Structures are given as C-alpha cells and as structure tokens.
Amino acid sequence: MTRLTSDDIKETPVVSKLDTELKNIVGTTLLGVASNTIPGMTGDFDFKNLKAGVVPITSGEGVIRGFSESVKAISEYLGMEAFVTNSPDVGGIAEAMSKGADIIFMADDYEFIAYNLKTGVYSNNTIATAKGYISALELAMGTFENNEVLVIGAGRVGTVAVEILSKKCSKVFVTDIDCTRAENLASKYPNVYCVKNIEEAVRSNMNILDASPGLIDGEWVQKGAIISAPGIPYAFDKKGEDKAKIIIHDPLSIGVSAMAVLSARDEYF
Ligand code: PYL
C-alpha cells in the first residue's frame, strides 16, 4: 500500500474543488458518489448530525501532517460535526469517546478504519476505496450490465475491486506487474481474465479502474476511455488526459467519504 505524503493531500481540505469536479464528470457530488456505494440507495445519505472524532496515530512511521485535518474537513463537508483529538493513540480514542463521537477515524501504517461506537459497524479504507471508485466508475459509465472493465493492480484495493466487479460486469480483466498475483486473482472467478501485458490491457479496454502505483503511458489510453483511478501516485500524463473521456482521481476524499457512509449505516453489509 502506498503511504500518502502531506504533499499528496495539501489540497484535500478544499473539498469543494473535488465536489465540483465530480459533479462535472460523473453528474453527482462527492456525497452522491459515496451514497451510491450502498446497494439500492437513492439520493444522498443523511448523516443526521453524526459526530466524527479523528484520532492521530503515532505508531510506525507516525503522523502524516495534514492527514487528520483532511479527514475532519471531508467529514464536515459530508454533513457531520467533526473534530481532531488533541491526544493521539489510545488517549485520543478515550478523548473522542468522552467528547461524544459517534464515529472514530484512525489510521496506522497498515489499516485505516472508521468505527461506529453506537452500532459496532466499522469500515476500512481498502474496501471503502474500492467501493467508492467503483461507484464513480458506474456513474460515469451509466451501467456495468453487459459491460467489461479492466482493473490495473491486484493489490489490496484491486483485489476487492475485482471481486465486486465480477458480480456486476459481464467480463473483468485484471493485470499487474506481478503476473502471478493477477493470475491467482483471476482464477477465483469464472468471468475474470488475466492480461499479462499492461500495455495490451490498457490499449484494449475503454473502462478502467486503475488501482496501481505505476505510471500509464498516455499512448496506450484509448480515445474516450473512462478511467476511475484510486491508485497513488496519479498515473496519467497529458496525452492520457487528452485522450480519456473521464479520469476520476483524488488521494483521500472518495475513500474517506465511502468509509463515512459505510460506517454510519445501521448495519454492515
Ligand atoms: C489511508 C491511505 C490511503 C493510501 N495509503 C494510506 C496511508 O497513507 N496510510 C498511512 C496513514 C497514516 C496516518 C497517520 C496519522 O496521521 O494518524 N498514522
């Protein structure tokens, strides 16, 4: 999993910028994309004034400057009251509970979770990011029915994305710099196919979920391609951006928004 840097997220607190971009390219807001991760959900999820506590975690490589503040800004933008605890780690969890947080956000170097203190429901960033970017791709494509999607990257997000997309699309292609990883993943599903060569995979697919840290040569991108790209760092050059119809990317907000919706619900699904 690629670790974010404070530079990656320096613009994240200006959530309105991404919101406007999403409205222009997929026709709905950040909250709309997150709400669309819930099967059968119509309209926007109502956070009913839930309160979010964001707890900085100092373990491992420690705190990322701006990370907790970004999660707070995203939570507020979605309609929640939110605060960053003064204390980190266990003290911060205790502080969040004493301040009446309904949902606690916390991330170490391996897991980023949102835990609903009231219902016991929790979401993690890997699953939520896959669901959030699949939601955005679905809104951009119109429908997955009888459609094919290429997933680049058989890592944590890509693996979840392939599993979900295998149930929605007629065919899913998966490619990874580690062919064995892609082949193992494809072998689990009857309608998922491994494409060994990443260039060939990109050149032959119009609908792409890019969950890899690798750069994609714009020469490979098909004109009119629809690309949903959770991968960090951002993978596309000017040529790719000019040829694609849509490229959806942000370092944190779509994942956190999906975490918020998925943990604010009354039951896990
Ligand atoms: C959640 C992000 C998405 C991609 N990579 C993940 C990452 O960078 N994880 C590390 C998060 C560390 C947060 C730090 C803090 O500021 O509390 N412990």
Side-chain angles (χ1 to χ4, degrees), residues 7-48:
D7 194 49
D8 289 329
I9 54 176
K10 64 181 182 296
E11 290 188 8
T12 300
V14 188
V15 189
S16 56
K17 184 170 175 288
L18 172 67
D19 202 49
T20 304
E21 276 173 32
L22 286 171
K23 270 184 252 178
N24 292 337
I25 53 178
V26 299
T28 186
T29 62
L30 177 63
L31 177 54
V33 169
S35 303
N36 187 44
T37 62
I38 298 173
M41 176 98 191
T42 52
D44 287 344
F45 187 86
D46 179 359
F47 281 93
K48 298 187 281 288

mmCIF file of all heavy atoms in Angstrom, residues 7-48:
data_model
loop_
_atom_site.group_PDB
_atom_site.id
_atom_site.type_symbol
_atom_site.label_atom_id
_atom_site.label_comp_id
_atom_site.label_asym_id
_atom_site.label_seq_id
_atom_site.Cartn_x
_atom_site.Cartn_y
_atom_site.Cartn_z
ATOM 1 N N ASP A 7 2.236 16.252 1.097
ATOM 2 C CA ASP A 7 2.126 16.973 -0.182
ATOM 3 C C ASP A 7 0.963 16.433 -1.016
ATOM 4 O O ASP A 7 0.224 17.185 -1.642
ATOM 5 C CB ASP A 7 3.439 16.821 -0.971
ATOM 6 C CG ASP A 7 3.513 17.822 -2.120
ATOM 7 O OD1 ASP A 7 3.264 19.023 -1.855
ATOM 8 O OD2 ASP A 7 3.715 17.402 -3.271
ATOM 9 N N ASP A 8 0.754 15.089 -0.944
ATOM 10 C CA ASP A 8 -0.354 14.466 -1.705
ATOM 11 C C ASP A 8 -1.702 15.082 -1.312
ATOM 12 O O ASP A 8 -2.611 15.192 -2.106
ATOM 13 C CB ASP A 8 -0.446 12.956 -1.392
ATOM 14 C CG ASP A 8 0.688 12.150 -1.978
ATOM 15 O OD1 ASP A 8 1.205 12.547 -3.053
ATOM 16 O OD2 ASP A 8 1.066 11.126 -1.382
ATOM 17 N N ILE A 9 -1.829 15.420 -0.026
ATOM 18 C CA ILE A 9 -3.159 15.800 0.499
ATOM 19 C C ILE A 9 -3.263 17.282 0.826
ATOM 20 O O ILE A 9 -4.197 17.719 1.489
ATOM 21 C CB ILE A 9 -3.512 14.966 1.762
ATOM 22 C CG1 ILE A 9 -2.413 15.063 2.831
ATOM 23 C CG2 ILE A 9 -3.747 13.506 1.372
ATOM 24 C CD1 ILE A 9 -2.758 14.330 4.126
ATOM 25 N N LYS A 10 -2.310 18.066 0.283
ATOM 26 C CA LYS A 10 -2.302 19.500 0.673
ATOM 27 C C LYS A 10 -3.577 20.215 0.188
ATOM 28 O O LYS A 10 -4.048 21.156 0.812
ATOM 29 C CB LYS A 10 -1.049 20.214 0.178
ATOM 30 C CG LYS A 10 -0.875 20.311 -1.324
ATOM 31 C CD LYS A 10 0.437 21.041 -1.646
ATOM 32 C CE LYS A 10 0.667 21.227 -3.132
ATOM 33 N NZ LYS A 10 0.823 19.955 -3.890
ATOM 34 N N GLU A 11 -4.197 19.710 -0.892
ATOM 35 C CA GLU A 11 -5.407 20.399 -1.373
ATOM 36 C C GLU A 11 -6.689 19.717 -0.883
ATOM 37 O O GLU A 11 -7.794 20.206 -1.122
ATOM 38 C CB GLU A 11 -5.412 20.412 -2.914
ATOM 39 C CG GLU A 11 -4.349 21.320 -3.497
ATOM 40 C CD GLU A 11 -4.513 21.463 -5.009
ATOM 41 O OE1 GLU A 11 -5.527 20.978 -5.557
ATOM 42 O OE2 GLU A 11 -3.623 22.046 -5.640
ATOM 43 N N THR A 12 -6.531 18.576 -0.220
ATOM 44 C CA THR A 12 -7.729 17.805 0.169
ATOM 45 C C THR A 12 -8.727 18.590 1.005
ATOM 46 O O THR A 12 -9.931 18.479 0.794
ATOM 47 C CB THR A 12 -7.288 16.513 0.895
ATOM 48 O OG1 THR A 12 -6.484 15.751 -0.013
ATOM 49 C CG2 THR A 12 -8.489 15.674 1.323
ATOM 50 N N PRO A 13 -8.267 19.412 1.957
ATOM 51 C CA PRO A 13 -9.253 20.153 2.785
ATOM 52 C C PRO A 13 -10.167 21.068 1.965
ATOM 53 O O PRO A 13 -11.241 21.429 2.412
ATOM 54 C CB PRO A 13 -8.379 20.944 3.750
ATOM 55 C CG PRO A 13 -7.145 20.116 3.896
ATOM 56 C CD PRO A 13 -6.909 19.543 2.511
ATOM 57 N N VAL A 14 -9.769 21.404 0.730
ATOM 58 C CA VAL A 14 -10.672 22.194 -0.128
ATOM 59 C C VAL A 14 -11.582 21.209 -0.860
ATOM 60 O O VAL A 14 -11.472 20.983 -2.073
ATOM 61 C CB VAL A 14 -9.873 23.055 -1.136
ATOM 62 C CG1 VAL A 14 -10.823 24.007 -1.883
ATOM 63 C CG2 VAL A 14 -8.772 23.821 -0.436
ATOM 64 N N VAL A 15 -12.493 20.598 -0.091
ATOM 65 C CA VAL A 15 -13.317 19.504 -0.621
ATOM 66 C C VAL A 15 -14.202 19.978 -1.766
ATOM 67 O O VAL A 15 -14.497 19.242 -2.704
ATOM 68 C CB VAL A 15 -14.170 18.866 0.509
ATOM 69 C CG1 VAL A 15 -14.862 17.606 0.012
ATOM 70 C CG2 VAL A 15 -13.310 18.550 1.718
ATOM 71 N N SER A 16 -14.571 21.242 -1.714
ATOM 72 C CA SER A 16 -15.493 21.776 -2.736
ATOM 73 C C SER A 16 -14.900 21.656 -4.146
ATOM 74 O O SER A 16 -15.626 21.469 -5.122
ATOM 75 C CB SER A 16 -15.789 23.246 -2.431
ATOM 76 O OG SER A 16 -14.565 23.972 -2.350
ATOM 77 N N LYS A 17 -13.577 21.690 -4.238
ATOM 78 C CA LYS A 17 -12.920 21.608 -5.559
ATOM 79 C C LYS A 17 -13.204 20.242 -6.193
ATOM 80 O O LYS A 17 -13.652 20.140 -7.329
ATOM 81 C CB LYS A 17 -11.411 21.833 -5.390
ATOM 82 C CG LYS A 17 -10.600 21.862 -6.675
ATOM 83 C CD LYS A 17 -9.169 22.341 -6.382
ATOM 84 C CE LYS A 17 -8.287 22.262 -7.631
ATOM 85 N NZ LYS A 17 -7.940 20.856 -7.988
ATOM 86 N N LEU A 18 -13.012 19.190 -5.395
ATOM 87 C CA LEU A 18 -13.283 17.828 -5.908
ATOM 88 C C LEU A 18 -14.775 17.655 -6.163
ATOM 89 O O LEU A 18 -15.194 17.072 -7.161
ATOM 90 C CB LEU A 18 -12.805 16.778 -4.897
ATOM 91 C CG LEU A 18 -13.190 15.338 -5.210
ATOM 92 C CD1 LEU A 18 -12.469 14.828 -6.465
ATOM 93 C CD2 LEU A 18 -12.908 14.409 -4.035
ATOM 94 N N ASP A 19 -15.576 18.219 -5.269
ATOM 95 C CA ASP A 19 -17.038 18.090 -5.395
ATOM 96 C C ASP A 19 -17.493 18.636 -6.739
ATOM 97 O O ASP A 19 -18.260 18.017 -7.467
ATOM 98 C CB ASP A 19 -17.688 18.873 -4.244
ATOM 99 C CG ASP A 19 -19.097 18.401 -3.945
ATOM 100 O OD1 ASP A 19 -19.300 17.180 -3.811
ATOM 101 O OD2 ASP A 19 -19.996 19.249 -3.912
ATOM 102 N N THR A 20 -16.977 19.801 -7.094
ATOM 103 C CA THR A 20 -17.328 20.440 -8.372
ATOM 104 C C THR A 20 -16.854 19.583 -9.549
ATOM 105 O O THR A 20 -17.580 19.363 -10.512
ATOM 106 C CB THR A 20 -16.681 21.839 -8.443
ATOM 107 O OG1 THR A 20 -17.095 22.593 -7.299
ATOM 108 C CG2 THR A 20 -17.072 22.567 -9.714
ATOM 109 N N GLU A 21 -15.615 19.043 -9.418
ATOM 110 C CA GLU A 21 -15.092 18.184 -10.489
ATOM 111 C C GLU A 21 -16.005 16.973 -10.696
ATOM 112 O O GLU A 21 -16.371 16.629 -11.816
ATOM 113 C CB GLU A 21 -13.692 17.667 -10.104
ATOM 114 C CG GLU A 21 -12.535 18.604 -10.403
ATOM 115 C CD GLU A 21 -11.216 18.062 -9.813
ATOM 116 O OE1 GLU A 21 -11.050 16.816 -9.738
ATOM 117 O OE2 GLU A 21 -10.399 18.899 -9.405
ATOM 118 N N LEU A 22 -16.412 16.354 -9.578
ATOM 119 C CA LEU A 22 -17.246 15.140 -9.684
ATOM 120 C C LEU A 22 -18.601 15.463 -10.310
ATOM 121 O O LEU A 22 -19.108 14.714 -11.146
ATOM 122 C CB LEU A 22 -17.435 14.501 -8.301
ATOM 123 C CG LEU A 22 -16.213 13.769 -7.749
ATOM 124 C CD1 LEU A 22 -16.457 13.365 -6.294
ATOM 125 C CD2 LEU A 22 -15.883 12.544 -8.588
ATOM 126 N N LYS A 23 -19.158 16.600 -9.915
ATOM 127 C CA LYS A 23 -20.458 16.999 -10.489
ATOM 128 C C LYS A 23 -20.310 17.139 -12.015
ATOM 129 O O LYS A 23 -21.160 16.686 -12.776
ATOM 130 C CB LYS A 23 -20.922 18.321 -9.872
ATOM 131 C CG LYS A 23 -21.771 18.147 -8.608
ATOM 132 C CD LYS A 23 -22.293 19.474 -8.103
ATOM 133 C CE LYS A 23 -21.590 19.889 -6.848
ATOM 134 N NZ LYS A 23 -21.993 21.176 -6.294
ATOM 135 N N ASN A 24 -19.187 17.704 -12.440
ATOM 136 C CA ASN A 24 -18.980 17.910 -13.886
ATOM 137 C C ASN A 24 -18.724 16.598 -14.626
ATOM 138 O O ASN A 24 -19.185 16.411 -15.745
ATOM 139 C CB ASN A 24 -17.778 18.850 -14.121
ATOM 140 C CG ASN A 24 -18.098 20.271 -13.645
ATOM 141 O OD1 ASN A 24 -19.278 20.646 -13.565
ATOM 142 N ND2 ASN A 24 -17.074 21.038 -13.275
ATOM 143 N N ILE A 25 -17.988 15.654 -13.971
ATOM 144 C CA ILE A 25 -17.599 14.469 -14.759
ATOM 145 C C ILE A 25 -18.485 13.245 -14.539
ATOM 146 O O ILE A 25 -18.633 12.412 -15.422
ATOM 147 C CB ILE A 25 -16.115 14.081 -14.529
ATOM 148 C CG1 ILE A 25 -15.773 13.907 -13.074
ATOM 149 C CG2 ILE A 25 -15.199 15.073 -15.182
ATOM 150 C CD1 ILE A 25 -14.322 13.471 -12.841
ATOM 151 N N VAL A 26 -19.102 13.122 -13.346
ATOM 152 C CA VAL A 26 -19.985 11.952 -13.170
ATOM 153 C C VAL A 26 -21.426 12.373 -12.872
ATOM 154 O O VAL A 26 -22.302 11.540 -12.694
ATOM 155 C CB VAL A 26 -19.489 10.973 -12.074
ATOM 156 C CG1 VAL A 26 -18.128 10.410 -12.431
ATOM 157 C CG2 VAL A 26 -19.455 11.630 -10.703
ATOM 158 N N GLY A 27 -21.632 13.684 -12.791
ATOM 159 C CA GLY A 27 -23.014 14.172 -12.633
ATOM 160 C C GLY A 27 -23.555 14.138 -11.223
ATOM 161 O O GLY A 27 -24.741 14.327 -11.000
ATOM 162 N N THR A 28 -22.677 13.880 -10.243
ATOM 163 C CA THR A 28 -23.176 13.956 -8.862
ATOM 164 C C THR A 28 -22.052 14.401 -7.939
ATOM 165 O O THR A 28 -20.895 14.496 -8.334
ATOM 166 C CB THR A 28 -23.748 12.601 -8.384
ATOM 167 O OG1 THR A 28 -24.336 12.764 -7.088
ATOM 168 C CG2 THR A 28 -22.661 11.543 -8.270
ATOM 169 N N THR A 29 -22.421 14.631 -6.696
ATOM 170 C CA THR A 29 -21.457 15.175 -5.727
ATOM 171 C C THR A 29 -20.623 14.067 -5.083
ATOM 172 O O THR A 29 -20.899 12.872 -5.276
ATOM 173 C CB THR A 29 -22.235 15.878 -4.587
ATOM 174 O OG1 THR A 29 -23.037 14.864 -3.939
ATOM 175 C CG2 THR A 29 -23.132 16.989 -5.125
ATOM 176 N N LEU A 30 -19.663 14.487 -4.287
ATOM 177 C CA LEU A 30 -18.846 13.531 -3.522
ATOM 178 C C LEU A 30 -19.765 12.697 -2.630
ATOM 179 O O LEU A 30 -19.632 11.475 -2.545
ATOM 180 C CB LEU A 30 -17.833 14.301 -2.674
ATOM 181 C CG LEU A 30 -16.925 13.502 -1.753
ATOM 182 C CD1 LEU A 30 -16.011 12.569 -2.562
ATOM 183 C CD2 LEU A 30 -16.066 14.444 -0.903
ATOM 184 N N LEU A 31 -20.755 13.341 -2.011
ATOM 185 C CA LEU A 31 -21.705 12.600 -1.161
ATOM 186 C C LEU A 31 -22.539 11.651 -2.020
ATOM 187 O O LEU A 31 -22.841 10.520 -1.613
ATOM 188 C CB LEU A 31 -22.613 13.575 -0.410
ATOM 189 C CG LEU A 31 -23.719 12.961 0.467
ATOM 190 C CD1 LEU A 31 -23.150 11.961 1.465
ATOM 191 C CD2 LEU A 31 -24.501 14.059 1.191
ATOM 192 N N GLY A 32 -22.852 12.082 -3.235
ATOM 193 C CA GLY A 32 -23.627 11.214 -4.132
ATOM 194 C C GLY A 32 -22.846 9.976 -4.525
ATOM 195 O O GLY A 32 -23.373 8.849 -4.532
ATOM 196 N N VAL A 33 -21.550 10.157 -4.798
ATOM 197 C CA VAL A 33 -20.698 9.001 -5.159
ATOM 198 C C VAL A 33 -20.616 8.045 -3.975
ATOM 199 O O VAL A 33 -20.772 6.833 -4.112
ATOM 200 C CB VAL A 33 -19.284 9.474 -5.567
ATOM 201 C CG1 VAL A 33 -18.318 8.301 -5.680
ATOM 202 C CG2 VAL A 33 -19.339 10.255 -6.885
ATOM 203 N N ALA A 34 -20.431 8.609 -2.774
ATOM 204 C CA ALA A 34 -20.323 7.760 -1.569
ATOM 205 C C ALA A 34 -21.653 7.054 -1.281
ATOM 206 O O ALA A 34 -21.691 5.874 -0.946
ATOM 207 C CB ALA A 34 -19.903 8.606 -0.369
ATOM 208 N N SER A 35 -22.754 7.788 -1.466
ATOM 209 C CA SER A 35 -24.084 7.197 -1.180
ATOM 210 C C SER A 35 -24.380 6.051 -2.149
ATOM 211 O O SER A 35 -25.040 5.064 -1.802
ATOM 212 C CB SER A 35 -25.171 8.266 -1.278
ATOM 213 O OG SER A 35 -24.886 9.333 -0.380
ATOM 214 N N ASN A 36 -23.842 6.168 -3.360
ATOM 215 C CA ASN A 36 -24.076 5.147 -4.391
ATOM 216 C C ASN A 36 -23.342 3.829 -4.091
ATOM 217 O O ASN A 36 -23.500 2.840 -4.788
ATOM 218 C CB ASN A 36 -23.634 5.706 -5.752
ATOM 219 C CG ASN A 36 -23.984 4.789 -6.910
ATOM 220 O OD1 ASN A 36 -25.095 4.257 -6.973
ATOM 221 N ND2 ASN A 36 -23.033 4.560 -7.801
ATOM 222 N N THR A 37 -22.526 3.826 -3.033
ATOM 223 C CA THR A 37 -21.856 2.553 -2.650
ATOM 224 C C THR A 37 -22.836 1.627 -1.920
ATOM 225 O O THR A 37 -22.555 0.455 -1.725
ATOM 226 C CB THR A 37 -20.650 2.803 -1.718
ATOM 227 O OG1 THR A 37 -21.127 3.423 -0.503
ATOM 228 C CG2 THR A 37 -19.608 3.696 -2.372
ATOM 229 N N ILE A 38 -23.989 2.202 -1.532
ATOM 230 C CA ILE A 38 -24.972 1.393 -0.783
ATOM 231 C C ILE A 38 -25.976 0.802 -1.768
ATOM 232 O O ILE A 38 -26.674 1.555 -2.456
ATOM 233 C CB ILE A 38 -25.707 2.259 0.266
ATOM 234 C CG1 ILE A 38 -24.704 2.791 1.286
ATOM 235 C CG2 ILE A 38 -26.812 1.456 0.950
ATOM 236 C CD1 ILE A 38 -25.286 3.785 2.254
ATOM 237 N N PRO A 39 -26.072 -0.507 -1.868
ATOM 238 C CA PRO A 39 -26.978 -1.121 -2.840
ATOM 239 C C PRO A 39 -28.418 -0.628 -2.659
ATOM 240 O O PRO A 39 -28.918 -0.579 -1.535
ATOM 241 C CB PRO A 39 -26.894 -2.629 -2.521
ATOM 242 C CG PRO A 39 -25.593 -2.810 -1.831
ATOM 243 C CD PRO A 39 -25.356 -1.530 -1.079
ATOM 244 N N GLY A 40 -28.996 -0.160 -3.761
ATOM 245 C CA GLY A 40 -30.402 0.240 -3.698
ATOM 246 C C GLY A 40 -30.640 1.624 -3.127
ATOM 247 O O GLY A 40 -31.772 2.096 -3.061
ATOM 248 N N MET A 41 -29.544 2.283 -2.740
ATOM 249 C CA MET A 41 -29.708 3.635 -2.143
ATOM 250 C C MET A 41 -30.040 4.634 -3.242
ATOM 251 O O MET A 41 -29.386 4.683 -4.248
ATOM 252 C CB MET A 41 -28.386 4.061 -1.474
ATOM 253 C CG MET A 41 -28.400 5.464 -0.902
ATOM 254 S SD MET A 41 -28.715 5.423 0.853
ATOM 255 C CE MET A 41 -29.002 7.154 1.179
ATOM 256 N N THR A 42 -31.122 5.406 -3.011
ATOM 257 C CA THR A 42 -31.380 6.517 -3.938
ATOM 258 C C THR A 42 -31.225 7.800 -3.133
ATOM 259 O O THR A 42 -31.578 7.859 -1.954
ATOM 260 C CB THR A 42 -32.836 6.443 -4.483
ATOM 261 O OG1 THR A 42 -33.716 6.339 -3.351
ATOM 262 C CG2 THR A 42 -33.028 5.234 -5.386
ATOM 263 N N GLY A 43 -30.698 8.820 -3.741
ATOM 264 C CA GLY A 43 -30.486 10.098 -3.055
ATOM 265 C C GLY A 43 -29.258 10.048 -2.164
ATOM 266 O O GLY A 43 -28.514 9.065 -2.139
ATOM 267 N N ASP A 44 -29.083 11.132 -1.416
ATOM 268 C CA ASP A 44 -27.879 11.284 -0.592
ATOM 269 C C ASP A 44 -28.097 10.719 0.809
ATOM 270 O O ASP A 44 -29.168 10.866 1.393
ATOM 271 C CB ASP A 44 -27.512 12.777 -0.470
ATOM 272 C CG ASP A 44 -26.924 13.306 -1.769
ATOM 273 O OD1 ASP A 44 -26.525 12.475 -2.626
ATOM 274 O OD2 ASP A 44 -26.878 14.538 -1.929
ATOM 275 N N PHE A 45 -27.039 10.107 1.331
ATOM 276 C CA PHE A 45 -27.085 9.597 2.703
ATOM 277 C C PHE A 45 -27.189 10.779 3.673
ATOM 278 O O PHE A 45 -26.492 11.777 3.525
ATOM 279 C CB PHE A 45 -25.825 8.788 2.998
ATOM 280 C CG PHE A 45 -25.865 8.096 4.325
ATOM 281 C CD1 PHE A 45 -26.456 6.854 4.458
ATOM 282 C CD2 PHE A 45 -25.344 8.709 5.449
ATOM 283 C CE1 PHE A 45 -26.505 6.215 5.688
ATOM 284 C CE2 PHE A 45 -25.385 8.098 6.688
ATOM 285 C CZ PHE A 45 -25.988 6.854 6.803
ATOM 286 N N ASP A 46 -28.077 10.685 4.666
ATOM 287 C CA ASP A 46 -28.244 11.767 5.656
ATOM 288 C C ASP A 46 -27.475 11.385 6.921
ATOM 289 O O ASP A 46 -27.803 10.422 7.596
ATOM 290 C CB ASP A 46 -29.746 11.927 5.982
ATOM 291 C CG ASP A 46 -29.960 13.018 7.028
ATOM 292 O OD1 ASP A 46 -28.954 13.606 7.493
ATOM 293 O OD2 ASP A 46 -31.125 13.259 7.398
ATOM 294 N N PHE A 47 -26.444 12.169 7.208
ATOM 295 C CA PHE A 47 -25.617 11.823 8.383
ATOM 296 C C PHE A 47 -26.284 12.215 9.690
ATOM 297 O O PHE A 47 -25.727 11.994 10.772
ATOM 298 C CB PHE A 47 -24.236 12.485 8.258
ATOM 299 C CG PHE A 47 -23.334 11.739 7.317
ATOM 300 C CD1 PHE A 47 -23.251 12.085 5.986
ATOM 301 C CD2 PHE A 47 -22.619 10.640 7.762
ATOM 302 C CE1 PHE A 47 -22.446 11.372 5.110
ATOM 303 C CE2 PHE A 47 -21.809 9.924 6.898
ATOM 304 C CZ PHE A 47 -21.716 10.293 5.564
ATOM 305 N N LYS A 48 -27.473 12.795 9.583
ATOM 306 C CA LYS A 48 -28.286 13.082 10.783
ATOM 307 C C LYS A 48 -27.417 13.646 11.920
ATOM 308 O O LYS A 48 -27.447 13.186 13.052
ATOM 309 C CB LYS A 48 -28.992 11.812 11.277
ATOM 310 C CG LYS A 48 -29.966 11.223 10.275
ATOM 311 C CD LYS A 48 -30.767 10.068 10.874
ATOM 312 C CE LYS A 48 -30.000 8.769 10.927
ATOM 313 N NZ LYS A 48 -29.812 8.147 9.605
#
